[in-house]
Amino acid sequence: MEPHVPTARTENAIAWARQHLGTESYASRCLAFVEDAYERPNGLELFGGDFAAESAALYAARENEGVPPPAGAFAFYDFTGEMLGRWQNWAMWGCA
């Protein structure tokens, strides 16, 4: 396995995300936070679903196994529980 080398886009996304940690406008909006972290500083438009579960399916996330690279990978996970008074499966994503 070759070592992961972060790209400028990855570094830009991480810097943007660190500057916006704790921003209340992203409360319970994990998908929007990750998308904005990659899109805004890099002038990109990511194409995914409206929800993390849709994006995971579009990116065939279940086919990937093993440890994600230390920076720049989308990590999808399932979370079933209550958030903001709603109980459901909140398939989420983040950035590894």
Side-chain angles (χ1 to χ4, degrees):
M1 179 179 198
E2 294 181 31
H4 176 73
V5 178
T7 66
R9 288 181 176 168
T10 301
E11 297 296 332
N12 292 341
I14 292 168
W16 186 95
R18 285 185 174 148
Q19 291 172 357
H20 291 84
L21 286 175
T23 303
E24 291 187 18
S25 62
Y26 288 101
S28 76
R29 298 180 57 231
C30 303
L31 178 64
F33 184 81
V34 174
E35 282 184 336
D36 285 355
Y38 272 89
E39 291 176 343
R40 292 179 183 243
N42 292 305
L44 296 174
E45 179 66 31
L46 297 177
F47 297 99
D50 290 334
F51 301 98
E54 291 173 275
S55 294
L58 288 169
Y59 294 132
R62 291 196 186 274
E63 296 175 15
N64 296 315
E65 296 180 356
V67 178
F74 291 130
F76 295 88
Y77 57 95
D78 280 330
F79 168 75
T80 300
E82 185 177 345
M83 184 166 54
L84 301 175
R86 290 178 53 200
W87 182 272
Q88 69 179 45
N89 181 306
W90 302 92
M92 297 181 178
W93 68 335
C95 180

